[in-house]
Amino acid sequence: MKTVTVKVPSGQYEVKIGAGLLPSLGNEVRTSTNAKRCAVIAGENVFPLYGEASLKSLRSAGLEAVSLVFPAGEQTKCLGRYGELLEFLAENRLTRSDCVIALGGGVTGDLSGFAAATYQRGVAYIQVPTTLLAAVDSSVGGKTAIDLPQGKNQAGAFYQPALVLCDTDTLATLPERELRAGFAEVIKYAVLFDPALFAALRDKTVDLPSVIETCVKHKAAIVAEDERDTGLRRLLNLGHSFGHAVESRSHYALLHGEAVAIGTVMICRAARSRGLLSREDCAAVIALLEAYGLPVETEYTAAELFDTLLIDKKFSGGKLHLIVPRRIGHCDIVAVTPGELRFWLEEGLR
Ligand code: NAD
Ligand code: GLY
């Protein structure tokens, strides 16, 4: 097992990564929280695979455990499901010292984390990521959210988990398309911080547990510097500003990771066209995303994406922070006005 410690101003917790960790969930809850009762929250695809094992482990450790199962998919990250979850916690009399377990991908983690942040003004929660995307990104760092009809992640909280328990065996049942989408976030870390990871991904000389550990270390370092996303943490939005717009426009027909891949290509093309990124590095990023089966083009126009971006939550103080690759392993944060953004979008689609 590999352990990465996340140290943030609001506290400290461990990310445990390894095969066969799920049966230790109950003991881990006992060690990392004061819970007597736990609510396991999972999607309809994940619960039949890992729900019973989770409940069994919790009960064997002497904890009471209840479960709630949601439909799979981004549409579950909504006000209605959030309300349902809060009511479920109340009906099952979870107290402030009890614990929510988010068993699943980023959708379950974001929704359950937001409910945990707000139920009785905050109860402990544990992330048990079962997708690659959740393992390398969404389960770590305490961003929780639901979507509103007006846009993605428009209501949420910064609220750190008490523990992240990543059993890499669970990734074996992940559909191929979801695994590929997770690699978009892995490639993000490589472009942001890590030429060695980039080369290893290109040469396919990596194993999943090590990739996850490497990405989590990068994320832990950034989150330690900037827990609330006012500075350096913005870097983690590489590919996300344009990606969110593409994702929203597709009404979530595109997976989050697929949209991030398209957004990454767009910002690389725009950076190349401005002479900020070399032609070779731009081509290398696109080739790597393609090698992992990710989409690199979109049918949406710059005007369509611009309209969607205007509601992006990262558009604050009249400026949007774009994350601009300068070379593999280094990106800059560039604040742009709406007028400038139009040009970046147009260049990104050329
Ligand atoms: P997801 O949670 O929708 O899971 C993907 C699909 O795989 C679902 O159908 C799910 O049921 C299924 N699944 C999950 N684990 C499985 C397994 N082990 N075996 C079989 N099927 C499994 O998608 P995701 O890509 O994990 O997460 C995307 C979400 O994460 C988006 O809402 C995005 O906004 C959010 N996100 C949040 C952060 C953050 O920092 N909080 C970061 C990145 C992404
Ligand atoms: N996924 C971006 C962040 O956690 O900041």
Side-chain angles (χ1 to χ4, degrees), residues 227-274:
E227 182 179 10
R228 296 183 71 88
D229 205 9
T230 55
L232 264 193
R233 186 166 178 171
R234 290 188 176 127
L235 285 170
L236 299 178
N237 285 324
L238 173 63
H240 281 61
S241 292
F242 295 170
H244 275 176
V246 172
E247 187 180 8
S248 292
R249 277 269 156 191
S250 81
H251 300 290
Y252 305 106
L254 279 170
L255 299 179
H256 177 76
E258 292 169 341
V260 167
I262 292 168
T264 302
V265 171
M266 286 179 65
I267 197 68
C268 282
R269 284 185 176 142
R272 181 203 60 199
S273 115
R274 284 165 183 253

Side-chain angles (χ1 to χ4, degrees), residues 137 143 188 219 233 236-237:
D137 196 356
K143 274 192 184 175
K188 173 186 85 175
K219 181 145 191 186
R233 186 166 178 171
L236 299 178
N237 285 324

Side-chain angles (χ1 to χ4, degrees), residues 82-99:
Y82 166 68
E84 205 180 301
L85 176 43
L86 290 178
E87 288 190 22
F88 174 81
L89 299 178
E91 277 160 11
N92 283 281
R93 295 193 165 74
L94 260 80
T95 69
R96 288 193 70 188
S97 59
D98 288 330
C99 179

Side-chain angles (χ1 to χ4, degrees), residues 127-149:
Q127 293 270 15
V128 185
T130 64
T131 65
L132 178 59
L133 183 141
V136 299
D137 196 356
S138 64
S139 66
V140 180
K143 274 192 184 175
T144 72
I146 56 170
D147 305 331
L148 298 181

Side-chain angles (χ1 to χ4, degrees), residues 139-264:
S139 66
V140 180
K143 274 192 184 175
T144 72
I146 56 170
D147 305 331
L148 298 181
Q150 290 78 5
K152 197 170 154 61
N153 295 334
Q154 292 290 299
F158 288 95
Y159 192 62
Q160 302 292 340
L163 173 76
V164 181
L165 190 69
C166 176
D167 181 343
T168 51
D169 283 346
T170 62
L171 301 177
T173 53
L174 197 58
E176 186 61 34
R177 185 179 171 201
E178 298 290 349
L179 189 68
R180 287 199 300 264
F183 271 104
E185 300 281 6
V186 172
I187 292 168
K188 173 186 85 175
Y189 287 107
V191 176
L192 280 171
F193 309 118
D194 201 335
L197 175 62
F198 193 95
L201 289 166
R202 186 192 55 215
D203 302 340
K204 305 236 163 147
T205 55
V206 286
D207 66 277
L208 267 188
S210 307
V211 165
I212 294 169
E213 183 193 18
T214 302
C215 294
V216 169
K217 279 183 175 163
H218 285 306
K219 181 145 191 186
I222 286 287
V223 171
E225 289 289 315
D226 177 22
E227 182 179 10
R228 296 183 71 88
D229 205 9
T230 55
L232 264 193
R233 186 166 178 171
R234 290 188 176 127
L235 285 170
L236 299 178
N237 285 324
L238 173 63
H240 281 61
S241 292
F242 295 170
H244 275 176
V246 172
E247 187 180 8
S248 292
R249 277 269 156 191
S250 81
H251 300 290
Y252 305 106
L254 279 170
L255 299 179
H256 177 76
E258 292 169 341
V260 167
I262 292 168
T264 302

Side-chain angles (χ1 to χ4, degrees), residues 247-331:
E247 187 180 8
S248 292
R249 277 269 156 191
S250 81
H251 300 290
Y252 305 106
L254 279 170
L255 299 179
H256 177 76
E258 292 169 341
V260 167
I262 292 168
T264 302
V265 171
M266 286 179 65
I267 197 68
C268 282
R269 284 185 176 142
R272 181 203 60 199
S273 115
R274 284 165 183 253
L276 299 172
L277 179 70
S278 71
R279 191 165 286 279
E280 295 72 29
D281 279 359
C282 180
V285 174
I286 297 172
L288 188 60
L289 290 164
E290 281 182 318
Y292 281 82
L294 288 158
V296 297
E297 307 287 347
T298 177
E299 77 247 31
Y300 302 116
T301 65
E304 286 169 335
L305 296 178
F306 181 74
D307 287 347
T308 309
L309 269 168
L310 287 184
I311 195 183
D312 192 303
K313 67 187 182 310
K314 288 165 217 80
F315 219 116
S316 59
K319 296 215 166 175
L320 179 73
H321 292 95
L322 293 180
I323 309 308
V324 180
R326 301 301 308 275
R327 60 179 183 277
I328 287 162
H330 183 86
C331 296

Side-chain angles (χ1 to χ4, degrees), residues 5-45:
T5 302
V6 182
K7 286 186 189 159
V8 281
S10 67
Q12 172 174 329
Y13 56 95
E14 292 188 331
V15 181
K16 297 189 175 183
I17 304 155
L21 294 185
L22 195 57
S24 64
L25 177 64
N27 289 334
E28 295 289 357
V29 172
R30 281 204 161 279
T31 312
S32 55
T33 75
N34 296 317
K36 298 212 166 5
R37 179 173 284 223
C38 303
V40 175
I41 315 304
E44 64 193 344
N45 299 328

